[in-house]
Amino acid sequence: MSEQQSVGQAPVIIGVRHHSPACARLVVERIRAVRPAHVLIEGPADVNDRIDELHLGHRLPIAVYTYLSSPTGHHTSWAPFAEHSPEWQALTVGREVGARTRFIDLPAWHAAFAELDNRYADTASMEEEQRFRRFEAQVSAQMGIEGTDALWDHVFESVTDLDELDARLTQWFSSLRADTAGSIGNAAREEMMARWIAWAMAEADGPVLVVCGGYHAPGLARRWREFDGQLPQTPLPPDHHSDQVRYGSYLVPYSFRRLDSFTGYASGMPSPAYYQWLWSLGAERAGLRLVEQVRQRLRQRNLPASTATLIAVHTHAHGLARLRGHDAVLRVDWLDAMAASWVNDALDVPLPWSYRGPIRPGTDPVLVEVMDVLAGTAQGALAPGTPQPPLVAAVAAELESHDLPVHGTVELDLLAGPAERSRSQVLHRLRLLDLPGVKRTSGPSFALDGATHSESWSLQESHARLAALIEAGAWGGTLTDAARARWVDAVSQVNGDVAGLAAALDSAVWAGLTRFTDGVLAQLADAVATETDLGALGRALRRLLPLLRSPQLLGWDSLPAVTVTVDAITDRALWLIEPPATIAPGEIDAHLGLLIGLRDLVRTRRADSDVDLLVPAERVVAVLRRKAEDGASDPASRGGALGALISLEEHLATHADPLELLSRCPVGRLGDALAGLMALAREELVTDSLFVAGLDRVVTELGEGEFVGALPALRGAFGWLPARERGGLAEQILSLHDISGASTRVLTGRLVHDPVTVAAATHAESEAIAQLSQWGVWPEVQP
Amino acid sequence: MSEPDQDQTLQRPPAEILYADELAALAAADADPRPPGWALSLKAAKAFVLGDPEMGTTPKIVAPVASIERMLVTLATGRGLMLVGEPGTAKSLLSELLATAVSGLSTLTIQGGASLTEDQIKYSWNYALLINEGPSPRALVPAPLHTGMSQGKLVRFEEITRSPVEVQDSLLGMLSDRVMAVPELSGDAAMVYARDGFNLIATANTRDRGVNEMSAALKRRFDFETVFPILDFAAELELVARNSSRLLADSGIPVTVPEPVLELLVSTFRDLRHGDPAGGSDRLSAVMSTAEAVNVAHAVGVRAWYLDQREGTAQDLVDSISGTVVKDDPDDRAKLRRYFEQQVAKQVGRGDHWRSFYEARHRLP
């Protein structure tokens, strides 16, 4: 925008990419040159009354946190500021030159933000994202540069001449936007911003300068004249008079780590620490700082970082910068140079900066550290005297309304009704926030644990608790929102640890957190997709099944997070158990545990067709059938799969037969195969006299030596039977051998000596006798 | 460069002959500084490999731009370049193109292998001359490394990890001191000092990891660049379609493999290639490269045409995959069966071609 435009007829509109240091420099320079009367910034207009709070002397990064909590839903959104954000520079420099600074965008509770939790994301809607991708692919092909960030750095961050930068930004964004009206959400936001511009122009007390996302800039330049210059009203949430609706915006401390972790179309500029250095030190020193920090980090982690490699990185980065036509060495040059010189082995996954989203598992450890250094550890802090986040008051109100003491002990009976349940939920939410002085001293170990139904808690008030609560305010304005955000963050760190995931889901159920976004649900499924431990999958499945089966007991119709996770676990488990593999003796129980989980899952689905799972029950049965019929599979696994089929009454559809399985399997594994059958279908098999007779025959026909070998596992197999069924089996065995009158205790009673030792001794004795008889020194006993 | 009519007799002309015109045009128009000993500047070399309509060059390989840039800078800074990756990811083609761009010559090639000896990479003797005259420069028969060093050219070392470790280690001195001693000769000929432009591009197959593990000292002299299978589905599909229809035309078959069947093929290959998200243990031991996908597509077309005079179908694809890919490894067979039973089963909603693919699973061995 030229300066003439700013005088009187048109505002100076600077379209920026959020968190871009180049744009921040342009904003500073333009504000100093134009000395506007009004600086209008894309940001939540509901904060305008309290905009001075931003200037209290906080340590950046901080964010304006906006929340809306109503019976129909919860929405939270952040507008983060770092020192290198153009919006932040507009605020501070605007104030410095004496301009009136205003936020001009809709508040984050407006429907336009329904799917967006980062106001300063690169794109605000699916439609905009797609448009952006198309545009990027086009420019990429033309310029021979791949990747959003590489492209951005090349075209903008390397430019030192600000007029040139301005021209490029204008051209970039007007080609991106073309003449499209944008999504409904974007149109609503732009109308609000355009009204503000019209108002500021109508004031006619000096130049007007606007700082907004580049995508909006062409739209605003077109539209502001359509409006009349009235001061725009900031919309309030629907039903804002209702007691049940809570909303507001306030400042919270933020961190570079969170700024870097937005994904999908909520993401923006990555690597905040690097861009902070670029802003404050310039490209050359930012690069040196980067290499220095990476060197330090690698040495701390005992990863190789020799001087020779540093020299190579340096040379390589400068070479790349020259080849790519950069005046200074940029982020992607440094990163590529590090990849070339620092990694000396084949990579399993692509370089982390060549794609968007979280770092993929299997990334080279050096590169993981490099990306972490670039993200930075900076943690913001609010200046003393900043109004307290509402969480402090909200928690006090929650405690009071649920009749919970600030200090003291609480005893709860979980079956005493919904009121007690919701008191428990409040306490569990506090626990999710990790507040000091909130302790659960006793209670059931998982949410549908039938063993006990009373819980006791101890609450202690302290300064530490208040401080932690103020800090936790960054997670949300109400207890539920904060607990949910905290939980989601914790779960996003769980990677491939399905036990941790099941525990997390359980704690969410305890805290009454049941509604999550699709993104979070997808994350849960992803976390399961890398688990390789069958036992862990089985334990998690069995732990979650009760929640899937009877969420009504806890007061819900369904628990989508549990459903998604069970689905992912099933899919993963079926995939893992299919190939034949030998199972180590120590893992047999865990393996059978998983088969039990799968069998119960099929039963659950047959009993309740409302359970909304994607993996069809037939697929589970088909895998079990193939497993049971596959001669190469481990006997324990075959036995288990066949047991599951019998228990599900699917055995008629398979040609596998339990007795055939037992008689065909190697003697040493007989007990394991039987364990599989017993673990999955004990009731059906023990009451089947044909099976019992066949089993008796298999065991009787064993040679003495074979019997000794098979005994430990056989005993283990009968361990799956409860005492009563063991008694029933004993009776059948006695009658098979025509031993009437003897008590079943003969077979089921506790033995004084270890039977394996006894059998081994008997076997040794008979062998000795055989040897002695062979040499004729054993007295032949006459019959 | 040779005359065109001679080229026609070559089964596979090297890149410097195949693209002689492009190279000449690039060199003539190249105004950017060239690293010492290079035939082209880095920008022109990049344009040669990746193709640049403005400079009149065609794309010759599908690879990320940044990776080609890294490779060129590595070569320009005088470090050795090591291309690693799965079989069939076009590492050798890449090294041929880079050598052509940098030195105008791609034929100084050492083929690694168990029987490789030091004299095959450095020099050997013409024994008749050696016996007659004693050791003399005339009697010396230079091997690629000798030629590369004395003429300042890029030397290619294919499948370096298949060569004995002692042969690998004999490179150490030449890579760091840039000199090769010829102790049999005296005077100037006793030391071959590398001219500007000499460097080494090695390729190694990740499947050979551990066969002849490279020493840390040698690794340190190379910059590693992993060559990934084509990341973009559409690009891979396009490549398979293009190359398989060329092969089919060469085989005298008038039809190509229909797009839905190619889509099945490429999806299957991509899924099986990545194996289990948690780790590599689940991958097939068979090579699931793009090159292999092209072969399978060709097989599908040949099968359908010569057996039945029709286009290839999903059934043909199942037969060809099990025949050409899985061969006789029972483990791979089990994995392929599982893939069909569990993963393809999930895709049947995506269209008729997926459904018939799934229903043809009984044709698996």
Side-chain angles (χ1 to χ4, degrees):
Chain A
M1 305 291 141
S2 68
E3 274 175 45
Q4 291 88 16
Q5 279 180 305
S6 69
V7 188
Q9 308 95 12
V12 180
I13 301 178
I14 308 178
V16 299
R17 183 177 181 198
H18 307 295
H19 310 300
S20 150
C23 294
R25 274 190 290 123
L26 178 66
V27 165
V28 169
E29 194 274 341
R30 288 289 186 263
I31 293 179
R32 295 223 164 104
V34 175
R35 303 195 71 82
H38 298 273
V39 173
L40 304 180
I41 303 162
E42 178 186 328
D46 55 306
V47 184
N48 279 336
D49 305 342
R50 290 161 38 210
I51 206 158
D52 288 343
E53 282 176 21
L54 283 160
H55 300 287
L56 290 174
H58 313 290
R59 187 175 77 215
L60 267 52
I62 57 170
V64 174
Y65 168 78
T66 305
Y67 69 102
L68 166 68
S69 174
S70 74
T72 50
H74 301 271
H75 178 63
T76 55
S77 157
W78 285 268
F81 299 99
E83 211 186 309
H84 57 274
S85 306
E87 295 81 5
W88 181 259
Q89 291 303 327
L91 279 167
T92 44
V93 181
R95 190 179 165 99
E96 191 185 293
V97 301
R100 292 164 77 185
T101 51
R102 290 269 197 294
F103 285 132
I104 56 169
D105 196 0
L106 290 170
W109 55 68
H110 191 275
F113 290 90
E115 287 295 317
L116 198 64
D117 55 1
N118 175 13
R119 178 184 291 268
Y120 293 145
D122 279 344
T123 54
S125 65
M126 187 61 95
E127 183 194 319
E128 192 185 330
E129 174 85 7
Q130 280 164 355
R131 187 165 185 82
F132 177 68
R133 293 282 155 241
R134 277 199 301 276
F135 175 66
E136 187 188 277
Q138 216 177 8
V139 180
S140 244
Q142 274 168 15
M143 302 189 65
I145 301 171
E146 289 166 351
T148 310
D149 301 314
L151 204 55
W152 176 267
D153 282 5
H154 178 84
V155 182
F156 302 105
E157 297 298 333
S158 63
V159 182
T160 40
D161 178 352
L162 291 175
D163 288 326
E164 171 66 18
L165 175 66
D166 195 352
R168 286 187 185 188
L169 283 169
T170 311
Q171 199 205 336
W172 175 274
F173 287 116
S174 56
S175 325
L176 167 63
R177 180 67 185 258
D179 287 328
T180 52
S183 63
I184 297 172
N186 272 330
R189 291 174 65 187
E190 282 170 13
E191 180 183 330
M192 177 77 171
M193 292 195 257
R195 282 181 187 280
W196 272 101
I197 298 170
W199 165 80
M201 293 302 291
E203 291 283 283
D205 51 359
V208 174
L209 186 139
V210 183
V211 176
C212 64
Y215 181 80
H216 302 303
L220 295 182
R222 273 199 302 270
R223 292 191 63 186
W224 71 273
R225 287 175 207 276
E226 296 169 18
F227 302 100
D228 57 4
Q230 292 289 313
L231 185 69
Q233 294 298 309
T234 305
L236 293 167
D239 300 330
H240 61 274
H241 292 301
S242 155
D243 286 348
Q244 288 179 302
V245 175
R246 265 190 287 242
Y247 61 95
S249 292
Y250 59 96
L251 291 183
V252 293
Y254 215 65
S255 69
F256 274 175
R257 194 179 71 75
R258 289 183 74 192
L259 200 53
D260 198 35
S261 68
F262 283 112
T263 54
Y265 57 75
S267 62
M269 295 272 282
S271 308
Y274 173 77
Y275 287 106
Q276 172 73 34
W277 299 330
L278 188 60
W279 162 255
S280 56
L281 305 171
E284 197 181 322
R285 284 170 59 207
L288 294 180
R289 172 74 71 95
L290 167 65
V291 177
E292 169 56 20
Q293 300 259 328
V294 170
R295 184 190 68 98
Q296 262 184 28
R297 173 68 73 86
L298 293 183
R299 291 196 177 161
Q300 273 169 18
R301 298 274 191 276
N302 280 329
L303 290 163
S306 71
T307 311
T309 322
L310 288 172
I311 295 171
V313 167
H314 209 266
T315 327
H316 206 289
H318 282 82
L320 279 173
R322 284 187 58 184
L323 170 60
R324 292 167 176 174
H326 300 160
D327 294 335
V329 186
L330 299 178
R331 172 179 173 269
V332 65
D333 303 329
W334 285 113
L335 288 172
D336 276 334
M338 288 186 196
S341 312
W342 230 309
V343 177
N344 52 7
D345 227 327
L347 299 172
D348 294 324
V349 291
L351 298 167
W353 52 92
S354 64
Y355 54 88
R356 307 205 93 189
I359 293 186
R360 296 184 194 166
T363 300
D364 189 279
V366 169
L367 301 180
V368 173
E369 295 297 340
V370 168
M371 291 316 276
D372 198 52
V373 167
L374 261 77
T377 50
Q379 179 79 47
L382 295 180
T386 313
Q388 269 183 6
L391 181 64
V392 180
V395 166
E398 289 260 14
L399 287 177
E400 202 186 311
S401 71
H402 286 90
D403 194 19
L404 292 163
V406 178
H407 191 94
T409 56
V410 184
E411 299 290 333
L412 297 173
D413 179 359
L414 296 172
L415 296 182
E420 288 288 274
R421 185 53 81 173
S422 63
R423 291 177 78 199
S424 162
Q425 284 170 356
V426 168
L427 292 168
H428 277 282
R429 283 170 201 161
L430 288 174
R431 198 155 83 130
L432 280 179
L433 291 180
D434 219 2
L435 298 181
V438 178
K439 270 210 194 73
R440 186 181 189 230
T441 44
S442 74
S445 45
F446 49 95
L448 272 178
D449 179 2
T452 166
H453 51 88
S454 62
E455 241 185 345
S456 33
W457 291 81
S458 118
L459 302 171
Q460 282 176 331
E461 197 179 20
S462 65
H463 283 296
R465 186 165 101 184
L466 182 65
L469 207 49
I470 291 174
E471 217 167 280
W475 296 102
T478 63
L479 181 55
T480 314
D481 287 349
R484 181 185 289 109
R486 189 65 198 266
W487 183 88
V488 167
D489 184 69
V491 156
S492 68
Q493 315 287 324
V494 174
N495 205 347
D497 169 22
V498 70
L501 190 64
L505 280 170
D506 205 51
S507 62
V509 171
W510 271 118
L513 305 174
T514 56
R515 300 271 170 254
F516 299 103
T517 61
D518 291 347
V520 174
L521 297 182
Q523 238 173 30
L524 297 176
D526 285 351
V528 177
T530 51
E531 179 62 82
T532 51
D533 180 359
L534 286 175
L537 286 168
R539 281 189 294 277
L541 182 58
R542 279 178 299 154
R543 184 164 178 176
L544 294 176
L545 271 180
L547 292 174
L548 181 77
R549 201 157 40 212
S550 6
Q552 302 83 359
L553 289 180
L554 298 169
W556 288 287
D557 295 337
S558 69
L559 297 166
V562 171
T563 315
V564 165
T565 313
V566 167
D567 235 347
I569 290 179
T570 316
D571 194 48
R572 182 76 186 144
L574 291 177
W575 181 247
L576 288 178
I577 58 168
E578 176 131 21
T582 312
I583 307 172
E587 284 167 12
I588 289 180
D589 283 0
H591 191 92
L592 295 179
L594 175 60
L595 291 175
I596 292 176
L598 290 173
R599 178 199 64 188
D600 292 350
L601 178 77
V602 176
R603 279 191 183 154
T604 304
R605 306 202 42 190
R606 288 184 179 169
D608 180 2
S609 54
D610 290 345
V611 175
D612 189 20
L613 289 172
L614 292 175
V615 179
E618 298 79 55
R619 215 180 109 208
V620 182
V621 173
V623 170
L624 291 171
R625 189 176 304 133
R626 287 199 294 273
K627 195 81 199 155
E629 291 170 2
D630 182 0
S633 274
D634 190 273
S637 186
R638 286 187 72 188
L642 182 55
L645 291 176
I646 292 170
S647 160
L648 293 169
E649 297 178 347
E650 289 280 351
H651 53 293
L652 295 177
T654 170
H655 58 70
D657 175 76
L659 285 173
E660 196 188 326
L661 169 65
L662 292 177
S663 54
R664 290 261 176 98
C665 95
V667 174
R669 303 299 311 276
L670 179 63
D672 296 330
L674 185 62
L677 288 165
M678 287 298 170
L680 274 297
R682 52 177 175 74
E683 218 180 326
E684 293 80 358
L685 290 175
V686 169
T687 50
D688 176 355
S689 54
L690 270 178
F691 174 76
V692 174
L695 174 62
D696 182 60
R697 197 166 53 246
V698 170
V699 174
T700 323
E701 280 169 5
L702 290 177
E704 221 162 50
E706 291 173 335
F707 182 67
V708 174
L711 191 56
L714 279 172
R715 294 193 71 219
F718 290 113
W720 286 96
L721 297 180
R724 204 182 129 81
E725 287 175 19
R726 226 180 300 173
L729 183 64
E731 261 170 36
Q732 293 188 59
I733 298 288
L734 288 177
S735 72
L736 274 175
H737 290 265
D738 286 335
I739 307 174
S740 50
S743 156
T744 56
R745 294 183 68 81
V746 174
L747 290 178
T748 58
R750 189 172 291 279
L751 296 166
V752 183
H753 300 289
D754 177 23
V756 179
T757 321
V758 173
T762 317
H763 178 50
E765 192 179 287
S766 63
E767 276 197 338
I769 292 173
Q771 292 250 335
L772 291 171
S773 331
Q774 198 187 342
W775 293 99
V777 290
W778 183 256
E780 291 290 327
V781 182
Q782 296 300 321
Chain B
M1 300 295 148
S2 323
E3 292 294 310
D5 57 352
Q6 280 176 313
D7 294 345
Q8 284 172 356
T9 60
L10 299 180
Q11 266 202 344
R12 185 189 177 284
E16 58 266 36
I17 296 180
L18 196 60
Y19 304 115
D21 299 345
E22 283 192 16
L23 286 168
L26 276 174
D30 194 3
D32 291 305
R34 301 175 191 183
W38 279 41
L40 295 175
S41 69
L42 272 83
K43 274 183 195 160
K46 176 180 154 190
F48 174 71
V49 176
L50 288 169
D52 184 342
E54 275 178 33
M55 297 195 170
T57 55
T58 50
K60 295 167 190 71
I61 195 161
V62 182
V65 177
S67 74
I68 302 292
E69 289 171 342
R70 284 194 297 267
M71 292 172 204
L72 288 169
V73 170
T74 291
L75 291 172
T77 53
R79 289 174 64 84
L81 173 64
M82 171 73 69
L83 300 174
V84 284
E86 291 275 301
T89 41
K91 294 182 292 296
S92 299
L93 173 61
L94 194 52
S95 100
E96 180 185 346
L97 291 171
L98 287 170
T100 308
V102 171
S103 301
L105 182 68
S106 69
T107 49
L108 292 178
T109 308
I110 304 164
Q111 181 61 49
S115 63
L116 188 75
T117 56
E118 222 175 297
D119 50 3
Q120 286 171 295
I121 67 171
K122 290 170 145 182
Y123 57 87
S124 56
W125 299 98
N126 177 330
Y127 286 97
L129 280 171
L130 184 69
I131 291 165
N132 270 346
E133 299 178 0
S136 68
R138 217 160 72 90
L140 182 135
V141 181
L145 209 53
H146 192 288
T147 314
M149 289 177 80
S150 53
Q151 299 182 1
K153 299 284 185 194
L154 263 184
V155 177
R156 299 165 56 201
F157 198 145
E158 296 287 310
E159 307 282 5
I160 192 167
T161 45
R162 299 199 68 80
S163 322
V165 176
E166 55 274 21
V167 178
Q168 292 180 20
D169 282 348
S170 68
L171 291 172
L172 278 177
M174 284 171 281
L175 278 176
S176 38
D177 302 335
R178 304 273 156 171
V179 58
M180 180 197 288
V182 187
E184 295 90 338
L185 298 178
S186 54
D188 284 350
M191 285 297 208
V192 184
Y193 293 98
R195 301 272 181 107
D196 279 339
F198 164 70
N199 208 337
L200 196 63
I201 306 180
T203 62
N205 195 324
T206 39
R207 292 288 172 99
D208 288 340
R209 240 187 277 199
V211 175
N212 288 312
E213 196 58 57
M214 287 170 71
S215 66
L218 189 58
K219 276 188 173 180
R220 216 163 51 73
R221 283 165 175 81
F222 283 102
D223 279 356
F224 276 62
E225 187 65 46
T226 308
V227 184
F228 286 99
I230 301 171
L231 295 173
D232 181 38
F233 179 84
E236 189 170 6
L237 183 63
E238 201 269 329
L239 193 93
V240 172
R242 185 154 37 91
N243 285 314
S244 65
S245 46
R246 207 188 58 218
L247 284 178
L248 286 171
D250 289 350
S251 314
I253 294 170
V255 294
T256 55
V257 179
E259 168 115 5
V261 178
L262 288 179
E263 184 206 317
L264 293 172
L265 167 67
V266 175
S267 311
T268 305
F269 265 60
R270 290 171 75 87
D271 288 347
L272 293 172
R273 180 186 301 155
H274 297 302
D276 190 88
S281 62
D282 232 29
R283 283 188 208 174
L284 297 196
S285 61
V287 174
M288 306 305 285
S289 64
T290 311
E292 194 68 23
V294 172
N295 291 339
V296 172
H298 181 214
V300 167
V302 169
R303 224 188 126 78
W305 181 254
Y306 285 124
L307 293 183
D308 237 0
Q309 284 81 55
R310 54 174 171 79
E311 286 187 330
T313 60
Q315 287 79 4
D316 294 318
L317 180 57
V318 175
D319 288 338
S320 302
I321 287 182
S322 38
T324 45
V325 178
V326 178
K327 304 192 172 104
D328 56 353
D329 185 334
D331 216 33
D332 275 5
R333 265 210 303 274
K335 282 175 185 163
L336 189 64
R337 180 161 281 282
R338 170 173 67 155
Y339 173 74
F340 268 85
E341 294 288 2
Q342 299 207 20
Q343 305 291 347
V344 179
K346 280 192 250 174
Q347 311 293 339
V348 290
R350 278 174 59 185
D352 286 345
H353 53 307
W354 278 99
R355 179 171 298 284
S356 48
F357 195 44
Y358 176 63
E359 282 164 0
R361 68 191 186 285
H362 64 271
R363 306 170 82 103
L364 290 171

